[in-house]
């Protein structure tokens, strides 16, 4: 009789938990649907701008097609840069030779060569020569950049060349933000192992802490991506020599596309983090439930 009563209570508890979980799931879906659904003009506008930004940055085509005449003008100007590039090559070779010679005298040890008067004199002379070559190299590269800017102005900022350079600059900054997040996560792991004393930390707390820490690092990395792109895209726009209005319009659309992609990454990061925390919670709670059920069965068997 005691076993029947205990079994009845266990079945009632299981049914109650199932009903509760179903109601919680429906309530959560309702809350998410109300938060995401474009039920107001502001939400509809935000959705439209986000999707427009994704379209611009990911799949939009250039509004200006490069004609054969534009390509011919571009190639004619770029031929003038070839002669200057030939001047640049020997300067770079001389700088590399001076670096090797300085490394031979210093042994690759910073500031150690300053203790030796003879080595210090030789290294200072080599460094002064290197500075002269660097100044000459900057002048040559400035001429090359000027010629390339004149050539790209023939293609136009709104051409496929301008759009591809803007996208390339953005994805470079995205890779830099991801690399920052990975390095920061690695350092967090090292410092946690060396300096944190949490022997009594439960598995659920450990998983939640690290999921949130990784999500936070990637969030910071994506924010840095957006900030770096905000300034670096200016130099891409200036290299095509557009008008002020055209440059500002391109800058605004580029920032809209970059912001939309970053928001998508942040939503994906938050979704993965929330899913990881939810799976960890359900796994640990189910394990606790099974453990309590076994304990109750053992107690009932002991009483019987």
């Amino acid at each position: 009789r005691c076993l029947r009563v205990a079994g009845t209570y266990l079945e009632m508890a299981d049914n109650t938990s199932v009903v509760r979980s179903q109601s919680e799931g429906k309530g959560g879906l309702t809350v998410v649907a109300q938060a995401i659904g474009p039920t107001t003009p502001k939400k509809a506008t935000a959705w439209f701008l986000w999707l427009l930004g994704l379209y611009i940055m990911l799949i939009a085509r250039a509004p200006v097609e490069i004609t054969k005449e534009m390509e011919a003008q571009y190639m004619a100007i770029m031929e003038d840069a070839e002669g200057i590039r030939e001047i640049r090559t020997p300067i770079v070779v001389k700088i590399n030779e001076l670096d090797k010679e300085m490394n031979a005298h210093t042994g690759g040890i910073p500031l150690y060569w300053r203790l030796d008067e003879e080595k210090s004199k030789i290294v200072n002379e080599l460094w002064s020569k290197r500075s002269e070559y660097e100044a000459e190299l900057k002048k040559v590269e400035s001429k090359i950049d000027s010629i390339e800017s004149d050539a790209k102005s023939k293609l136009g900022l709104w051409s496929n060349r301008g759009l591809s350079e803007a996208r390339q600059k953005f994805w470079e900054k995205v890779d830099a933000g991801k690399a920052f997040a990975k390095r920061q996560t690695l350092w967090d792991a090292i410092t946690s192992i060396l300096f944190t004393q949490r022997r009594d930390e439960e598995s659920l707390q450990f998983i939640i802490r690290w999921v949130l820490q990784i999500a936070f690092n990637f969030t910071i990395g994506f924010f840095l991506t957006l900030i770096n792109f905000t300034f670096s895209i200016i130099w891409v726009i200036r290299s095509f020599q557009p008008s002020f209005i055209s440059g500002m319009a391109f800058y605004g659309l580029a920032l809209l596309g970059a912001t939309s992609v970053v928001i998508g990454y942040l939503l994906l990061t938050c979704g993965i983090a929330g899913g990881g925390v939810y799976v960890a919670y359900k796994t640990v709670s189910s394990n606790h439930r099974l453990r309590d059920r076994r304990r109750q069965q053992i107690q009932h068997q002991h009483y019987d």
Side-chain angles (χ1 to χ4, degrees):
R1 187 178 299 174
C2 293
L3 287 175
R4 290 179 181 178
V5 173
T8 303
Y9 280 126
L10 288 175
E11 291 179 358
M12 292 175 61
D14 291 339
N15 294 331
T16 304
S17 62
V18 170
V19 172
R20 185 180 300 171
S21 63
Q22 291 178 353
S23 62
E24 289 177 356
K26 292 180 180 179
L29 291 176
T30 303
V31 171
V32 173
Q34 290 177 353
I36 295 178
T39 56
T40 63
K42 290 183 178 180
K43 289 183 179 180
T45 304
W47 271 95
F48 172 75
L49 291 176
W50 182 55
L51 295 176
L52 177 62
L54 292 177
Y55 173 77
I56 291 172
M57 185 57 72
L58 299 178
I59 59 177
R61 294 183 179 180
V64 177
E65 294 184 1
I66 299 176
T67 62
K68 293 182 179 180
E69 183 180 357
M70 295 165 62
E71 186 71 23
Q73 292 177 352
Y74 173 80
M75 295 303 298
I77 297 175
M78 288 300 294
E79 288 178 358
D80 297 336
E82 294 299 327
I84 301 178
R85 285 197 179 94
E86 294 178 357
I87 301 174
R88 179 183 180 276
T89 302
I91 298 175
V92 175
V93 172
K94 291 179 180 179
I95 291 176
N96 292 333
E97 291 177 353
L98 289 173
D99 288 338
K100 291 180 181 179
E101 191 173 354
M102 283 191 292
N103 188 48
H105 287 287
T106 59
I109 303 175
L111 303 178
Y112 177 74
W113 51 273
R114 292 184 179 276
L115 302 176
D116 192 331
E117 184 177 356
E118 183 178 356
K119 288 184 179 181
S120 178
K121 182 179 179 181
I122 295 173
V123 171
N124 287 330
E125 291 177 356
L126 294 173
W127 186 261
S128 62
K129 291 181 181 179
R130 190 184 189 281
S131 300
E132 294 176 0
Y133 284 123
E134 276 190 344
E136 187 177 354
L137 180 62
K138 288 181 180 179
K139 293 179 181 179
V140 174
E141 289 180 343
S142 178
K143 292 180 181 179
I144 294 175
D145 292 339
S146 178
I147 294 174
E148 289 181 350
S149 178
D150 294 337
K152 288 192 290 186
S153 66
K154 302 301 180 182
L155 301 178
L157 178 62
W158 297 90
S159 64
N160 187 38
R161 178 64 182 271
L163 195 61
S164 62
E165 286 196 14
R167 286 172 174 168
Q168 181 181 0
K169 181 63 68 174
F170 173 72
W171 293 116
E172 287 178 0
K173 300 305 178 184
V174 169
D175 293 337
K178 291 179 181 178
F180 168 82
K182 292 177 182 178
R183 289 195 303 269
Q184 190 63 36
T185 302
L186 178 61
W187 281 113
D188 291 339
I190 294 174
T191 54
S192 177
I193 293 173
L194 295 179
F195 303 107
T196 304
Q197 301 293 332
R198 294 186 178 181
R199 305 297 183 184
D200 56 343
E201 187 177 25
E202 296 183 357
S203 58
L204 178 60
Q205 294 176 353
F206 176 81
I207 295 174
I208 292 176
R209 180 167 63 87
W210 272 105
V211 167
L212 296 179
Q213 185 65 43
I214 294 172
F216 175 77
N217 291 336
F218 274 92
T219 301
I220 297 298
F222 290 134
F223 273 116
L224 292 178
T225 294
L226 188 58
I227 293 173
N228 291 333
F229 179 76
T230 300
F231 294 99
S232 61
I233 190 61
I234 296 175
W235 305 107
V236 176
I237 295 173
R238 290 184 60 184
S239 66
F240 285 86
Q241 302 178 9
S243 63
F244 178 77
I245 297 176
S246 177
M248 290 300 297
F250 190 92
Y251 183 73
L253 292 177
L255 287 187
L256 176 62
T259 304
S260 299
V261 175
V262 168
I263 289 174
Y265 271 119
L266 292 176
L267 292 176
L268 181 62
T269 302
C270 294
I272 294 174
V277 171
Y278 177 78
V279 170
Y281 171 75
K282 296 298 288 185
T283 303
V284 174
S285 61
S286 63
N287 292 335
H288 283 303
R289 196 180 300 116
L290 290 174
R291 195 181 307 160
D292 294 338
R293 187 177 300 173
R294 290 174 183 173
R295 188 183 298 112
Q296 291 177 0
Q297 290 178 354
I298 292 173
Q299 290 177 355
H300 287 302
Q301 292 176 359
H302 178 71
Y303 290 146
D304 292 339

